[in-house]
Amino acid sequence: MLKKLFSVLFYKPPTEGSKFKSYVESEPYEEGFAEHYRTRLLPRVKYYEKKRIKALSVARSRCLKSIPIIIVLLGIIVLAILNSDSLGRGFSWVFYISFGMIGFIIVFIFSSIDKYKTSIKGRIFPRILEFTGDFEYKQNYSAPFAQYKKYDILPPFDPPASFSEDYVKGTYNNVNIEFFEARLMRGAHFKGKKAVFNGVIAKISVNKKFSSKTVIRADKGSFGDWVSGRKLPENQEVVRLEDPKFDKLFNVYSNDQIEARYLLTTTFMERLIEVEKAFGSQKIECSFYKQSLVMAIHLKKDWFEPGPITEIEDFQDDSKNLLADINSIFNICDTLQMDSEIRL
């Protein structure tokens, strides 16, 4: 938090000569995006660059005005701690009220920046997605979390306490795809809440029904599963695969060994690891069940967020990352031949 305050306080606006660079296509799936960026994104980029500078200026002004108040409140907190014995019960009131006021001031300082970042998603994200095909985007989304428990890849969590956003839905080669960012929580009360999953949940719906359930989990060992509270999938056997690298990274369970081996080809396993790398994931897990392949892609940070407020934002890195993410999911669809060629 102090780092963010200092970065805002000592920010230097860009010079008048600062210009946006042309988009450079570096991957086959980016072909044509440079022109798309120039016509569909660049006008918005220039608009939001002005908004970024304004939001930062407002935050900096608020920060300068608030510093004396914060110093006084910190002094009150220190004095309260030094005189806690004489204050008795009054110590708690003085301490928590002063601390709460500091928190309120910090939220107030950064509110202009938060508003700027929130407004970006609904305007920039959809324009990047336009290039990938017929996809729609919703910034605010309430996921049907309870439906995802049956896939046996998520740790125990409480749907009412969980959160979702950044929903994307569309079709690729007659395959329905949807994915969204999620934070799954465990514990119903504020003090008892714990984040057990941060990342993206992706669902690929196919036009054939799997006769079994095949679950692919990251290999955390028995102790790791015990700590996370996850149980082994019911009525399923361990599936041993021929690929030693994949077998070392993942545990596979299924109630149909033949179908599991049919699904988990060498190419599919390579593509699954590519998805993990494209998203910059800590780990990835997935499940084939009924008519869907569901993937839980664990992330260390938010999936689609603008860069540091103190840097010029051209959304080129965001575009490259999003295109790589979606292309990796498209590759999964192609590899599984999830159209009429799939024979299950």
Side-chain angles (χ1 to χ4, degrees), residues 165-185:
E165 63 177 349
D166 297 336
Y167 174 76
V168 178
K169 180 181 180 181
T171 303
Y172 171 75
N173 284 351
N174 298 320
V175 176
N176 295 322
I177 303 171
E178 57 183 322
F179 48 99
F180 57 90
E181 188 171 6
R183 174 172 292 182
L184 306 183
M185 309 296 292

Side-chain angles (χ1 to χ4, degrees), residues 14-154:
T15 62
E16 290 294 328
S18 299
K19 294 182 179 180
F20 295 104
K21 298 178 181 178
S22 299
Y23 188 93
V24 177
E25 299 170 4
S26 56
E27 298 292 341
Y29 55 79
E30 292 180 282
E31 185 178 353
F33 189 78
E35 178 62 16
H36 180 83
Y37 177 85
R38 187 185 68 81
T39 57
R40 297 294 294 150
L41 279 149
L42 193 54
R44 282 286 170 186
V45 167
K46 293 177 178 178
Y47 169 78
Y48 276 109
E49 177 59 12
K50 294 178 181 178
K51 298 277 284 186
R52 180 188 71 85
I53 294 172
K54 183 178 179 180
L56 197 48
S57 298
V58 170
R60 187 172 184 273
S61 175
R62 290 175 177 176
C63 187
L64 287 169
K65 293 176 182 177
S66 301
I67 286 176
I69 302 173
I70 293 174
I71 291 173
V72 170
L73 290 170
L74 288 173
I76 292 173
I77 290 172
V78 171
L79 288 173
I81 293 172
L82 293 175
N83 298 280
S84 57
D85 293 336
S86 59
L87 287 172
R89 291 183 179 180
F91 166 74
S92 297
W93 286 100
V94 173
F95 182 85
Y96 288 116
I97 289 174
S98 300
F99 209 84
M101 289 179 69
I102 291 175
F104 176 81
I105 290 170
I106 290 174
V107 170
F108 175 69
I109 289 172
F110 288 106
S111 61
S112 63
I113 294 174
D114 293 336
K115 185 178 180 180
Y116 154 78
K117 289 185 174 181
T118 301
S119 66
I120 283 174
K121 282 186 171 185
R123 299 296 183 92
I124 298 296
F125 207 178
R127 295 205 174 195
I128 300 173
L129 283 170
E130 284 177 4
F131 182 75
T132 64
D134 185 19
F135 282 83
E136 63 178 83
Y137 167 74
K138 291 181 182 178
Q139 188 171 341
N140 300 314
Y141 175 65
S142 181
F145 283 122
Q147 296 182 15
Y148 288 92
K149 288 189 173 185
K150 62 188 177 185
Y151 292 96
D152 292 328
I153 54 175
L154 298 172

